[in-house]
Amino acid sequence: MAKPMHPTPLLDELEKGPWPSFVKGLKRLAQNNDMMVDLLGQLETSYETRLGYWKGGTVGVFGYGGGVIPRFTELLDENGKPKFPEAAEFHTLRVMPPPGWHYDTATLRKFCDIWEQYGSGLIALHGQTGDIMFQGCRTENVQKAFDAINEMGFDLGGAGPALRTGMSCVGPARCEQACYDTHRANRQLINAFLDDMHRPSLPYKFKFKFSGCPNDCMNSIQRSDFAVIGTWRDDIQIDQAEVKNYIASKGRQYVIDNVVNRCPTKAISLRDDDTLEIRNKDCVRCMHCINVMTKALSPGKDRGVTILIGGKRTLKIGDLMGTVIIPFMKLETEEDWQRLEEFAGRVIEFFAENALEHERTGEMIERIGLANFLEGVGVDPDPNMINHPRTNPYVRLDGWAEEAKKWEERKAKAAG
Amino acid sequence: MAEAAKPRPPVESGVVDVMPFLHPVMKKNYGKWKWHERPRPGVLHHVAESGDEIWTVRAGTQRQMDVHTIRKLCDIADEYAEGYVRFTIRSNIEFLVSDEAKVQPLIEKLEAEGFPVGGTGNSVSMIAHTQGWLHCDIPGTDASGVVKALMDELYEEFIREEMPNRVRITTSCCEINCGGQGDIAINVQHTKPPRINHDLVANVCERPAVVARCPVAAIRPALVNGKPSLEVDEKKCVCCGACFPPCPPMQINDPVHTKLAVWVGGKNSNARSKPTFHKLVAADLPNNPPRWPEVAEVVKKILRAYKEDARDWERMGEWIERIGWPRFFELTGLPFTKYHIDDWRGARASLNASAHLRF
């Protein structure tokens, strides 16, 4: 029953070499799946002509406006018919994974069974937005595949001008450096704004990413509109006995070169008795010394998160990193978690109301100015938000006295 | 008359609870881990406050996996590990075991089945990538193919930890750069303005939306052959391709003029220095399937110089910060051109306003 294979001399080259080959996988599927036979035919054509041949469209599941990435072939023969008809429709279902991409094998096997029945048998673990990408489905099977996946308790992710699937690092599941529960944050925030995912109506995409510490393993700062990065306020925890053990194994020179001298704010000294001294007021919580001495040093105990808003890649105005908006927020009590959710809601609402079409949060902030954004989401200015104060004098300062008074009042209030 | 089948309303379950998917040792010690170490490349050892331990064995995958490969990984997890796995942001798979004795047999099995064990610590980990010709609607090149070809070349650097610090590579099949930032980023760079099929524009494109999409205001409405269409001021055009997604008749991809560019020094971690974006170092590399040898050559040149010259813990951008860009171009042998000098907004911040020079 299987269709004969198209010759694929270029793709065959990618079966060679030591790294696992996706072409081998496609060919294995093609043994009893005509869609993959034709998919290989179209892909080989792309390799020959150096052009892509997919176009989008509108395919979805009942009740949702997004989450399916439709693909129709543009590779037509002289009669205007698809040259590789079995792969003429090759849609992707984006499915939200468990936070941190943790799985048991039973779940992965069920995914495989469903996708073998309704789709091409090709699954990407995972796409760049964090979703499980069930790649290759005919329009008629999209609803059936979704129903089966949805019955397992999984839901579609985001696509288009919508809230996108969140990403969270391994977090407290396995990492001692996680300063908050990244998995809970991912689930709570995404699920709180799920309507904005399933029925796309934002100006453009909006992404949350959650990293447990400033190592930022999720690249939240560059790749998300709302980056939640774990941090701490008190002193780094030091186990001096372990410091001595580390020096005994690596030598003083190594510790001086790679711990003391690599501290970006010169906050660390090595004492003559092989113990470390850290001037915590100077520490910027970069994680370096903790990364080097994983047994001797760990983040402090007064933990929480820093929130940076507005990261994104190239289009349209160029790269933007997230900007610090909330320097520190505790995430321990239910009230803390509620405060995070309310703040995220204010940011999304402000974005929905003030961004132009196809404008990301960071671009909106650049256009309107950070001060206006802060006012819009109800956050007071903080020197942690800037690298340095303004250098140009072209600004109206006639509200200065009033603003200075607010600062003094806030300071007095904080001091109790 | 037969009644139409009632559509099934979705269960808007959202993100699932992670707990049922966690290895029991991870569930038990959730939030209570004490320290970790890397006993060998590809293996992590975490110890909890309770004294419980867990070993992680990390292996590379091809990301776009057929169900047979996934089932094979599940078989390995069931037989050699304890039935729980997780994936990393770079599509590596991690097997979790609570008994150190299980680590070596698991590694041997993975290697025997063709899954390289590595990607931890100071290795070149799996390349984060996009969809490419396999599934994207605007790709200038492939993604899985580029990555497969490059990872074959960098295989030894994946299974070892011999770099000064971790090396993260990304690829992107268009200038939107879904692949992300990296110590080395390999991205498509269009080099010619879009070619417009004027017969199709009026039917396919919402013209004001396309005009608004252009970052340099190079697109304007025009009447061509009596039909409403668009025209591009080719002197202004920066060939970003932003007009192509909303208006496919403005074809930006080209078999010859779609090129690849290499960028270096991107980093998202806050460790030591603040996060940085990657910077352009090489361009005009041919989009040459199935193995993209010209790109691999540049990447290996950069990696060789970094490996030889950088100090312990220096990420690529930090190494360049120390040695300076003149020395970078000298050590890598890459040419420095006028195109390396930024002329986009904020460009002045990237110019040297000092007498700090290197000869």
Side-chain angles (χ1 to χ4, degrees):
Chain A
M1 78 154 212
K3 204 170 162 165
M5 298 282 275
H6 306 287
T8 53
L10 292 171
L11 287 171
D12 295 351
E13 288 297 315
L14 292 174
E15 289 187 86
K16 300 171 186 164
W19 193 258
S21 167
F22 74 103
V23 174
K24 276 187 188 163
L26 296 182
K27 286 193 177 177
R28 258 194 306 266
L29 291 171
Q31 283 167 11
N32 51 17
N33 182 330
D34 290 350
M35 179 187 254
M36 294 315 287
V37 174
D38 273 5
L39 188 272
L40 279 158
Q42 173 160 329
L43 192 56
E44 178 73 11
T45 310
S46 282
Y47 271 60
E48 283 166 16
T49 61
R50 304 178 186 196
L51 290 170
Y53 296 103
W54 298 111
K55 65 177 174 186
T58 43
V59 175
V61 299
F62 176 73
Y64 288 176
V68 178
I69 314 293
R71 289 292 176 255
F72 299 92
T73 187
E74 284 189 304
L75 194 54
L76 308 176
D77 63 17
E78 57 277 13
N79 302 316
K81 300 272 183 236
K83 216 167 158 188
F84 297 102
E86 296 295 330
E89 295 174 354
F90 197 76
H91 315 314
T92 284
L93 273 71
R94 285 189 173 168
V95 172
M96 281 195 283
W101 302 301
H102 301 275
Y103 295 97
D104 57 19
T105 52
T107 302
L108 288 173
R109 287 181 200 280
K110 264 190 240 167
F111 283 152
C112 290
D113 294 344
I114 291 170
W115 204 235
E116 201 168 38
Q117 186 180 356
Y118 297 113
S120 71
L122 186 68
I123 304 175
L125 293 155
H126 298 84
Q128 289 299 91
T129 302
D131 293 287
I132 313 164
M133 308 282 272
F134 289 87
Q135 298 176 303
C137 193
R138 289 191 180 88
T139 308
E140 62 184 17
N141 280 339
V142 165
Q143 184 71 48
K144 294 173 196 162
F146 169 68
D147 286 346
I149 293 166
N150 196 215
E151 291 294 339
M152 285 175 69
F154 286 83
D155 203 351
L156 282 194
L163 176 68
R164 297 299 186 87
T165 299
M167 281 165 59
S168 45
C169 67
V170 69
R174 198 192 58 200
C175 186
E176 75 275 16
Q177 295 165 355
C179 293
Y180 73 103
D181 188 342
T182 52
H183 297 337
R184 173 175 177 174
N186 184 346
R187 186 172 191 223
Q188 184 169 333
L189 289 192
I190 297 296
N191 290 357
F193 306 107
L194 207 52
D195 191 49
D196 283 322
M197 175 176 286
H198 293 321
R199 283 158 283 276
S201 59
L202 294 176
Y204 199 20
K205 60 184 90 165
F206 190 93
K207 297 185 179 186
F208 284 103
K209 295 193 200 295
F210 305 91
S211 286
C213 81
N215 282 324
D216 195 8
C217 290
M218 290 297 98
N219 196 358
S220 64
I221 193 163
Q222 291 167 330
R223 312 206 59 194
S224 70
D225 303 275
F226 195 109
V228 185
I229 299 180
T231 192
W232 66 95
R233 281 190 296 201
D234 57 343
D235 297 352
I236 288 181
Q237 301 184 64
I238 309 179
D239 182 335
Q240 298 287 8
E242 288 298 340
V243 172
K244 288 183 184 185
N245 286 340
Y246 190 80
I247 294 170
S249 70
K250 301 287 279 190
R252 297 197 100 218
Q253 177 76 45
Y254 184 88
V255 172
I256 291 167
D257 286 351
N258 291 298
V259 180
V260 177
N261 288 346
R262 294 213 178 281
C263 173
T265 54
K266 310 286 176 264
I268 307 181
S269 307
L270 179 61
R271 297 194 192 101
D272 287 342
D273 65 353
D274 282 355
T275 58
L276 284 184
E277 180 185 332
I278 300 181
R279 290 175 296 280
N280 282 280
K281 276 285 174 198
D282 290 339
C283 172
V284 288
R285 293 149 185 88
C286 84
M287 291 302 292
H288 172 75
C289 60
I290 297 173
N291 291 341
V292 178
M293 304 174 82
T294 51
K295 216 168 171 178
L297 302 176
S298 37
K301 289 179 177 167
D302 184 13
R303 299 178 177 190
V305 297
T306 298
I307 299 173
L308 300 97
I309 306 284
K312 62 171 281 287
R313 262 304 284 178
T314 315
L315 288 180
K316 164 180 169 179
I317 65 170
D319 307 324
L320 298 177
M321 297 250 188
T323 299
V324 172
I325 300 295
I326 305 284
F328 190 83
M329 182 187 275
K330 287 292 273 185
L331 274 185
E332 279 171 8
T333 63
E334 288 306 314
E335 290 75 30
D336 293 339
W337 284 97
Q338 201 50 44
R339 204 172 299 127
L340 173 71
E341 195 178 307
E342 282 166 12
F343 176 66
R346 286 205 300 279
V347 173
I348 292 177
E349 197 178 325
F350 187 85
F351 170 63
E353 285 176 9
N354 292 282
L356 304 176
E357 193 197 321
H358 210 259
E359 185 176 60
R360 291 283 288 274
T361 312
E363 293 166 320
M364 172 191 74
I365 293 172
E366 173 144 325
R367 180 170 52 80
I368 68 174
L370 185 63
N372 283 322
F373 176 72
L374 294 176
E375 200 179 309
V377 296
V379 173
D380 294 324
D382 185 299
N384 275 309
M385 295 169 179
I386 55 165
N387 284 326
H388 57 76
R390 69 165 63 235
T391 59
N392 82 70
Y394 295 148
V395 55
R396 292 228 359 207
L397 296 175
D398 40 357
W400 181 279
E402 199 181 322
E403 291 300 311
K405 198 173 151 211
K406 284 187 203 161
W407 163 266
E408 295 299 340
E409 281 166 5
R410 283 201 302 276
K411 215 167 67 171
K413 196 176 161 198
Chain B
M1 205 170 92
E3 203 177 319
K6 269 196 195 146
R8 171 188 174 278
V11 179
E12 298 202 38
S13 42
V15 181
V16 295
D17 179 11
V18 73
M19 287 303 170
F21 304 99
L22 292 182
H23 188 288
V25 171
M26 282 161 53
K27 199 185 298 184
K28 181 184 159 204
N29 297 285
Y30 195 85
K32 296 192 175 68
W33 292 96
K34 195 164 164 55
W35 61 277
H36 79 279
E37 62 181 349
R38 300 195 315 277
R40 53 149 282 172
V43 179
L44 309 172
H45 170 220
H46 284 83
V47 180
E49 285 164 10
S50 66
D52 288 351
E53 297 172 277
I54 199 152
W55 282 263
T56 301
V57 177
R58 184 181 290 179
T61 78
Q62 59 272 55
R63 189 177 101 143
Q64 329 267 9
M65 287 188 279
D66 59 296
V67 289
H68 309 298
T69 300
I70 297 171
R71 284 184 187 129
K72 183 182 281 178
L73 290 166
C74 288
D75 290 343
I76 296 171
D78 286 341
E79 192 180 344
Y80 290 85
E82 289 153 16
Y84 292 88
V85 298
R86 72 174 288 270
F87 289 87
T88 71
I89 191 170
R90 319 192 79 75
S91 299
N92 298 308
I93 188 168
E94 293 185 338
F95 296 83
L96 291 314
V97 297
S98 55
D99 178 1
E100 189 179 7
K102 292 181 175 175
V103 171
Q104 193 52 34
L106 172 58
I107 292 172
E108 284 163 19
K109 176 66 177 173
L110 284 165
E111 286 174 345
E113 295 289 351
F115 298 102
V117 172
T120 46
N122 296 353
S123 63
V124 177
S125 194
M126 166 64 167
I127 299 171
H129 69 88
T130 52
Q131 301 282 71
W133 288 327
L134 182 74
H135 200 259
C136 183
D137 59 342
I138 48 176
T141 188
D142 199 24
S144 346
V146 182
V147 169
K148 158 68 179 157
L150 273 166
M151 287 312 292
D152 280 344
E153 302 263 352
L154 303 175
Y155 185 85
E156 293 295 320
E157 298 295 354
F158 178 86
I159 61 171
R160 296 177 186 168
E161 293 184 354
E162 294 177 349
M163 287 287 164
N165 199 340
R166 61 197 62 212
V167 177
R168 299 294 179 249
I169 304 183
T170 66
T171 69
S172 289
C173 52
C174 83
E175 283 176 33
I176 295 171
N177 192 210
C178 300
Q181 297 77 7
D183 295 282
I184 301 180
I186 304 153
N187 298 341
V188 155
Q189 191 81 24
H190 303 296
T191 61
K192 297 285 178 204
R195 296 182 315 282
I196 307 178
N197 184 339
H198 293 290
D199 292 337
L200 297 179
V201 170
N203 298 334
V204 178
C205 317
E206 199 184 323
R207 294 192 303 156
V210 184
V211 169
R213 196 70 63 90
C214 179
V216 291
I219 303 175
R220 47 184 180 245
L223 209 61
V224 181
N225 304 327
K227 285 184 185 169
S229 185
L230 294 162
E231 65 182 12
V232 172
D233 181 338
E234 298 205 348
K235 281 209 174 99
K236 273 191 188 171
C237 177
V238 290
C239 311
C240 70
C243 51
F244 176 60
C247 189
M250 299 184 78
Q251 181 58 257
I252 189 79
N253 290 315
D254 181 284
V256 177
H257 299 298
T258 291
K259 301 280 194 168
L260 290 151
V262 176
W263 307 67
V264 305
K267 152 179 178 291
N268 50 281
S269 166
N270 288 269
R272 299 167 304 283
S273 50
K274 287 185 177 182
T276 50
F277 284 120
H278 49 234
K279 290 103 186 159
L280 176 72
V281 292
D284 204 35
L285 300 167
N287 185 14
N288 200 2
R291 288 245 159 220
W292 292 270
E294 299 84 357
V295 173
E297 198 188 324
V298 169
V299 168
K300 284 193 290 185
K301 226 181 246 183
I302 295 166
L303 283 173
R304 216 176 296 133
Y306 167 68
K307 192 175 182 179
E308 280 170 15
D309 199 62
R311 295 186 187 153
D312 289 339
W313 295 97
E314 277 180 342
R315 286 285 289 269
M316 189 165 287
E318 294 169 317
W319 163 61
I320 299 168
E321 189 67 24
R322 175 171 60 79
I323 66 169
W325 286 100
R327 182 106 177 108
F328 171 85
F329 284 98
E330 187 187 318
L331 287 177
T332 55
L334 297 168
F336 183 81
T337 71
K338 70 173 184 179
Y339 297 105
H340 289 97
I341 302 172
D342 196 357
D343 58 2
W344 188 243
R345 67 176 68 170
R348 192 160 277 275
S350 69
L351 307 181
N352 182 10
S354 77
H356 292 206
L357 303 169
R358 299 179 198 245
F359 301 108

